[in-house]
Structures are given as C-alpha cells and as structure tokens.
Amino acid sequence: MTPQSWAGWYRDRLGSEALTITTDGTQLRTRIRGVDFAGASFDSLGPVPGIPTESGTFALDGGNLRDFVLEWDMPVPVASDDGAVQQATLSCLLSLKPPEPDLGVALHFGGAVYASGRAELDFGSVLDDIRRQLPSGSSLQPSPLDAI
C-alpha cells in the first residue's frame, strides 16, 4: 500500500496542536510536540523506542498514549454502479479520555452526511455501518482505516 497522510488536531490537558497522521496500512505514525509516536492502532500509539519524552508531557498507560482527543479528515473514494468515482470526506474524532473512549465518524458525500451510530472503537465496524447507509448503487471504497 502507498503511504497516506492526513492533517488533524491533537488535544490533551496541555493544549492542542496541528499534526499529520501517516499510515502504510499496518502502522500509524505521528509527531506530537516534537516526539514521534507509532502503533498498529490509534489506541496503541506510543513513543518510538529510543525517543525520550519529558516526564509528565504525555499521559501514558503501559507505554501507550492516553487521555487525548484526535480529529482528522481524510479523502475517500465512493464508487457508483456505473463505475464513476467521486471523492468524499471522512471526518473522524477519537477520544481516549476517561471515563469511556469514544469514536465519531461521519462521511460527507453528495451533499449529505452519513454517520455511524455505533459506540465502539473498531474502525472497520464503524465504516461498515456507514457503507450500509449509502444510497443504492454507491459503495465506499476500502480505506486504510479498515485494517487499523
């Protein structure tokens, strides 16, 4: 898979900052306050080994980043039965703040918004929920988030 990147925002108790999230289809990577983070999923992002982090700069649990909110938009193709492909925007908001994690995903396509009503952190299931809502003949193409 070709690496993909999306612009977004990171927020925690110390403030917010713009960031870029990159994936190769198996690993997510981002840099927050000059520290590189990587992981197989958003809830397993941890500092890259060998990169020191200042004590107290990030909330870590078992080496994984916790107590934060990530927001990002990513372009996704939507195909129709006639083979035409249109670009849509998938807006994502992930909160790993106590007491409960939360994932909000909405697809902006054709002047409408299709949102998942699922209360879970599995991107694949949330995207399947959105796929079921699309107009007949439209299909959300596979996303790099399906594998994460």
Side-chain angles (χ1 to χ4, degrees):
M1 170 186 185
T2 303
Q4 295 187 21
S5 297
W6 314 292
W9 285 93
Y10 170 88
R11 290 191 311 268
D12 67 9
R13 71 189 189 296
L14 298 178
S16 65
E17 74 173 61
L19 55 68
T20 301
I21 302 164
T22 303
T23 184
D24 60 6
T26 59
Q27 184 96 342
L28 293 163
R29 298 182 85 63
T30 191
R31 177 176 280 214
I32 306 166
R33 297 186 192 114
V35 177
D36 291 323
F37 287 84
S41 64
F42 288 101
D43 61 355
S44 69
L45 287 173
V48 172
I51 305 290
T53 59
E54 292 180 34
S55 179
T57 302
F58 297 100
L60 299 175
D61 182 15
N64 295 326
L65 197 56
R66 290 290 181 260
D67 201 12
F68 69 93
V69 175
L70 274 180
E71 286 185 78
W72 71 98
D73 289 338
M74 58 187 289
V76 293
V78 177
S80 61
D81 283 344
D82 65 5
V85 176
Q86 297 178 8
Q87 286 299 312
T89 300
L90 193 66
S91 296
C92 306
L93 186 142
L94 173 66
S95 173
L96 290 181
K97 294 179 103 20
E100 293 293 322
D102 187 39
L103 172 65
V105 178
L107 179 73
H108 303 266
F109 170 67
V113 177
Y114 304 93
S116 173
R118 300 179 75 102
E120 58 184 273
L121 292 178
D122 177 22
F123 274 101
S125 296
V126 169
L127 292 176
D128 286 344
D129 189 36
I130 290 173
R131 285 182 175 104
R132 286 189 288 277
Q133 298 174 47
L134 290 173
S136 178
S138 296
S139 62
L140 180 62
Q141 299 301 287
S143 160
L145 296 179
D146 285 315
I148 296 174

